[in-house]
Amino acid sequence: MQPVIELDNLEVRLGERTVLNKLTASLTGRSIGLLGPNGAGKSTLINTLLGFHAPAAGTARVIGLDIRTRARQVRGLTGYMPENDSFIASMSGVRFVRLMAELSGLPQEQALERAHEAFFYVGLGEVRYRQIGTYSLGMKQMTKLAQAIVHGPKVLFLDEPTNGLDPPARKRMIQLIQEIRDHGDLHLILSSHLLRDVEECCDQVLILKDGQIAAFCNLEEERRANRKFLELETRGANGTFTAALAKLGCQTAPGAGGRIKLVLPDGVEIRQLYELAAQQQVQIRRIHCKRDSLEDIFFKAMEPANGRL
C-alpha cells in the first residue's frame, strides 16, 4: 500500500527556531490523526506538506508526490480546512466556495454546481446566499469544510475542525468527518489537540511534542488489543469458576468483591464467558473493557523521560 504521507528526515525552521526536527514516518491509514499540545508543530507540518513552508532539510511526499519538486500537483490533489478563518466577509457563502473551487482548477460552471452541492452537504443550503460575515462560528466552520471538499480532493487536511464549537455543532462536524471517511475515496488527516476528536475519527495517530515525533500507533490495532483485557463483576464466583476460565485459556487475576480481571485469548468470545458462568451458576453482572487507549498513549508520550524526546 502506498503511504499517504511519507516524512523523510523532515526539518523546518522559522527564523532561527527549529519547529519540526527530523521527522521520519510512513503514514498509510485511511484517516490519520495529528495530535499534540498547542505549539507541538501540527499546523506547521500541514503547512509544510501543502508547500507554504520550505523544508530546511529532508523532504516529505503526499501520495507519492515530493513536496519539494511537485508542490503544485500536491495542492491540486488536496483540500485544506484551516484552523483560522480566511474568508472574504462581504461574499456570499456559495460565491466564496465557488471561487475556491475555481482556484482548485474546476471550470466556472462546474465550480458553481459543486459549491451548491457542498453547501447542502454540510447543512447550510438555506443560508448559502448570505454574506459570510453574518454567519455564526459554527456556520463558518462548516463553510471552511465545504470549500475544502468542493473540488473532490484525494487528501483532505482538517486543522482543528471542532475548534470553538458548542456540543451540537461539534457532534454534527464529527458526523460529517466520519461520513467523509467512510464513504469517500479520499484520505483524511485531522490535526487536533483534542483526544476525543482523534479517537472518534482516526485509525492511525502521529503524536508530536516540541516538533518531534513522540509516538506513532495504529489505533485499530490498539482497539482490537484492548478488547482482550476485561474485568468481570460477578456474584457467586469461586475457585471453580476461575479454574474453568483458565481451561478456556484465559489469564485471570481475582480481585475483591467478586471482581475478576482476565485476558481473553484469541478465538474465545465474550459469549463463551456467559455460557461458562451459566454452567457454574455464576452471575456476570457487568463486563468492563479497557478504554482510553489513546489517552494512555498520549500521556506516556508527553512524559519528559520518554526516550524519544
Side-chain angles (χ1 to χ4, degrees):
M1 179 185 297
Q2 183 187 55
V4 185
I5 306 292
E6 294 176 272
L7 307 177
D8 186 1
N9 209 33
L10 179 67
E11 186 172 319
V12 175
R13 298 191 190 100
L14 300 179
E16 298 297 320
R17 187 166 64 98
T18 299
V19 182
L20 299 178
N21 189 6
K22 298 179 181 179
L23 305 186
T24 297
S26 180
L27 313 179
T28 59
R30 181 65 178 272
S31 54
I32 301 162
L34 297 180
L35 190 61
N38 291 329
K42 304 184 300 295
S43 295
T44 300
L45 176 57
I46 289 178
N47 289 332
T48 301
L49 295 174
L50 292 171
F52 300 136
H53 300 313
T59 190
R61 287 172 289 277
V62 179
I63 52 177
L65 301 174
D66 194 300
I67 63 171
R68 283 185 176 272
T69 59
R70 305 186 69 181
R72 183 181 294 274
Q73 291 95 321
V74 169
R75 286 195 291 269
L77 294 173
T78 54
Y80 175 42
M81 178 181 175
E83 177 181 5
N84 298 316
D85 290 350
S86 302
F87 298 119
I88 302 173
S90 60
M91 273 191 175
S92 69
V94 72
R95 184 182 174 196
F96 174 77
V97 173
R98 185 198 70 182
L99 173 63
M100 301 306 291
E102 291 178 14
L103 291 175
S104 298
L106 293 184
Q108 287 186 356
E109 186 174 333
Q110 186 180 2
L112 180 59
E113 180 181 351
R114 294 291 295 273
H116 284 287
E117 291 175 355
F119 258 88
F120 277 101
Y121 181 75
V122 301
L124 296 181
E126 294 183 358
V127 299
R128 64 192 188 280
Y129 293 113
R130 277 175 48 184
Q131 291 185 354
I132 296 177
T134 68
Y135 284 2
S136 67
L137 174 60
M139 292 161 66
K140 289 178 179 178
Q141 288 293 93
M142 290 298 181
T143 301
K144 285 195 286 186
L145 178 61
Q147 64 80 31
I149 63 175
V150 65
H151 58 294
K154 296 295 183 183
V155 181
L156 177 61
F157 291 95
L158 305 174
D159 197 353
E160 302 287 357
T162 64
N163 193 24
L165 297 182
D166 60 27
R170 179 197 172 274
K171 181 179 179 181
R172 173 60 179 159
M173 178 66 76
I174 292 297
Q175 288 174 339
L176 281 171
I177 293 171
Q178 292 171 336
E179 185 175 329
I180 292 169
R181 175 198 65 192
D182 295 338
H183 301 292
D185 59 353
L186 54 71
H187 294 276
L188 186 150
I189 292 85
L190 187 153
S191 171
S192 180
H193 65 282
L194 300 175
L195 293 168
R196 186 179 174 190
D197 286 3
V198 174
E199 183 84 55
E200 293 181 4
C201 297
C202 300
D203 52 44
Q204 285 186 348
V205 61
L206 181 71
I207 302 176
L208 298 179
K209 179 184 178 183
D210 297 329
Q212 295 180 291
I213 295 176
F216 173 61
C217 69
N218 186 312
L219 288 180
E220 282 302 309
E221 292 179 359
E222 292 290 334
R223 289 168 184 140
R224 285 194 294 269
N226 285 344
R227 294 190 192 109
K228 299 179 182 180
F229 293 87
L230 308 176
E231 183 179 56
L232 310 184
E233 291 185 15
T234 67
R235 181 176 181 180
N238 51 33
T240 303
F241 180 59
T242 54
L245 290 172
K247 287 183 179 180
L248 280 178
C250 300
Q251 300 177 41
T252 63
R259 294 177 180 268
I260 302 173
K261 293 182 179 181
L262 61 86
V263 179
L264 203 64
D266 291 336
V268 176
E269 303 292 337
I270 290 179
R271 61 175 175 78
Q272 293 175 256
L273 303 182
Y274 282 99
E275 292 171 355
L276 186 62
Q279 295 170 9
Q280 299 285 333
Q281 296 185 335
V282 171
Q283 294 180 14
I284 296 179
R285 293 186 162 185
R286 187 172 299 175
I287 294 182
H288 300 278
C289 298
K290 182 182 177 185
R291 298 181 61 83
D292 298 326
S293 62
L294 180 56
E295 184 175 352
D296 296 338
I297 294 165
F298 178 78
F299 284 113
K300 183 176 180 181
M302 293 299 105
E303 292 175 1
N306 193 309
R308 287 167 292 188
L309 303 179

